[in-house]
Each structure stands twice: as structure tokens, then as C-alpha cells.
Amino acid sequence: MAYDTARNNILFQATINGRPATVLLDNGADQTLVDRGFAERAGIGLRASARRVVTSAMTQVATATTDPVTLEATRSFRVHGAMVALDLRPVEKALGRQVDAVLGSDVLDHFAVLIDPRSRRLSFHQGGSAKPMPGTTVLPIAAGSIVAAELNEQKVGLRIDLGYSGVIRLSDAAWRRVVPAGSPTRDGSQTSADGTTRATRVGQAALRMGTVRIERVPVDSGYVPEGKASGLLGNGFLSRGPFILDLKGRQLLLLPQQAKEPRTP
């Protein structure tokens, strides 16, 4: 199915209880989320919840739990169950687009998702079913959606995060290992889903990841979720070409670029 982008984030059309909805693709979200206002307008029942969502600014946002709902993308997938409801208006403001729901890892972990940035098409397949074609770079995925890499010859574990629009973001500790003191850097900023902005540093590093070798890739410092990851690998890298994220099969497949169609004389 077709998808659109907003600030390098992937949005597609689906329905929630038969009502049209714009959905953000984000495996960095542990749970699938629905905008509280959308749920109220759609007549979806809400129950109080003690669950708090931690944003990338390390602040906590209150949530509610919905009655069981059906989220469906035509000819792609259909899931049924309770969702986490919260105010997604800060996300809309950050992206400049309507966002009614966020498809999280609780659903995406069961699929192999093919994303082709050239044609703006994505498709959902049975998890664990992805098979590499000749020329494909296959990167094993460890627990926590982490792929192994080297930046400036320093080993790092990068968490694949379709909700991160940049190329690579490093934790402060990893930044100090990868970017030597005195390296050329500049000031940057990071705006979280709740609208909070924090200062960051932006630089470059040599990347080695499987058969991928790139002399200079943008890296920035900033918030990285707690865990084993040294940083995030985002859409700024993944959208360089078609890829398959198969979390159930524990592999990221970077597909070879297809030859351009010849022009008609």
C-alpha cells in the first residue's frame, strides 16, 4: 500500500473500528497508540490506566486503555484488542500532520515489513518469511531490535527505530567514545513527542555495518532509551533504498537497488 512521509516519518492510511485513520509507523513505541481525541470522537470506550508513556525527553505522559478495537489496513493486516490512548497532538505539531494512531512494536514484531522509499510503498508479510535475493545485505538483529556496527572503529549497538527521522543518534556515553575531542561538530536540537526541545551535538563518523561502508555519515547526540543500545538507527539511513525489517526473523535486509527502467525513445 502507499505511504506518505512527514519530516522523514512514515504515515499510512488505515481504519480503526471502520473509521479512517492516519497511522504513524514506529517500532520504537512498545505499544500501539491511539489519539485520545480520536477515540472519544469514534465512541471508543476508555478506562483509567496507571500506565505512563516515557517520551524522548524522559518525561512521562498519562494514558488510558481503550475497549477492544479493530485496527485494519486493507489487504495488509487486521489486529483486534485494547490500545493505549493518549494525547497525540504534540506529535501532530512536531510533524505538521494529523496523526490518529501509532503502530508499535507489539504489532510490528509479528511482521516482516517491506518499505520502498522510491515508490513510497510498504507491505506487511508473515514474520520470519523474508528471504534475501542476490546482492542483499543481511544484518542480524539482536534482542531489543539492535544491529551491530562500528563508528570510527568503535563498536556500537544501534537500535532500529522507524520513529527516529535522523541517520544515527548516539547516547552521550557512545558519543564520547565515537567522536574524539576536537572533532568538527555543530550545535543541533532534538524535539520530543511532547514538544520539549533539548540541545544536541552534530558531527560525522565512518560507518561499518555488515558489507556497508560509508566514510562520513551524520551522527548526533541525544536521548536513547534505556537498554543495551549505544544509539538509534533511523529513517535517514534506512530510506536510502528499499529494505525489509523482519523483527520476528531477527534480520534487517537492505535490498539491492533495482536498475532504472529504460526511457522510451
Side-chain angles (χ1 to χ4, degrees), residues 197-209:
T197 299
R198 60 173 287 179
T200 65
R201 299 298 298 165
V202 181
Q204 292 185 330
L207 171 67
R208 293 167 56 94
M209 189 164 56

Side-chain angles (χ1 to χ4, degrees), residues 75-257:
R75 297 188 300 276
S76 295
F77 67 86
R78 183 178 185 272
V79 294
H80 182 78
M83 298 173 66
V84 176
L86 73 164
D87 184 2
L88 292 179
R89 286 178 297 179
V91 178
E92 293 184 340
K93 183 177 179 181
L95 298 184
R97 287 285 303 277
Q98 175 180 333
V99 179
D100 300 311
V102 177
L103 190 68
S105 63
D106 57 331
V107 174
L108 290 172
D109 283 356
H110 300 284
F111 289 101
V113 185
L114 168 61
I115 300 176
D116 188 345
R118 301 159 308 172
S119 62
R120 297 283 181 91
R121 308 286 294 184
L122 64 88
S123 57
F124 294 81
H125 304 269
Q126 180 181 352
S129 64
K131 304 297 182 185
M133 64 178 68
T136 296
T137 297
V138 181
L139 301 175
I141 299 177
S145 302
I146 295 174
V147 294
E150 288 186 10
L151 289 168
N152 286 345
E153 300 184 351
Q154 297 293 315
K155 293 183 178 180
V156 294
L158 301 177
R159 176 180 175 179
I160 302 167
D161 190 345
L162 297 178
Y164 168 48
S165 61
V167 179
I168 293 173
R169 168 170 290 154
L170 296 175
S171 66
D172 291 338
W175 173 271
R176 290 191 291 268
R177 285 196 297 115
V178 168
V179 182
S183 299
T185 62
R186 60 180 175 83
D187 293 332
S189 64
Q190 170 192 355
T191 301
S192 69
D194 64 359
T196 303
T197 299
R198 60 173 287 179
T200 65
R201 299 298 298 165
V202 181
Q204 292 185 330
L207 171 67
R208 293 167 56 94
M209 189 164 56
T211 59
V212 175
R213 304 288 188 274
I214 305 176
E215 287 301 315
R216 291 184 297 275
V217 297
V219 296
D220 65 70
S221 65
Y223 169 72
V224 175
E226 293 183 3
K228 298 180 180 179
S230 309
L232 305 178
L233 183 69
N235 288 329
F237 174 84
L238 298 170
S239 62
R240 292 162 51 91
F243 66 95
I244 298 174
L245 177 58
D246 187 355
L247 292 172
K248 185 174 182 179
R250 300 227 168 167
Q251 56 181 349
L252 172 64
L253 283 67
L254 306 179
L255 306 181
Q257 297 287 337

Side-chain angles (χ1 to χ4, degrees), residues 16 32-39 44 46 66 69 83-88 100-102:
I16 298 176
T32 294
L33 312 173
V34 63
D35 177 62
R36 186 165 191 144
F38 177 95
I44 298 171
L46 299 174
T66 71
V69 298
M83 298 173 66
V84 176
L86 73 164
D87 184 2
L88 292 179
D100 300 311
V102 177

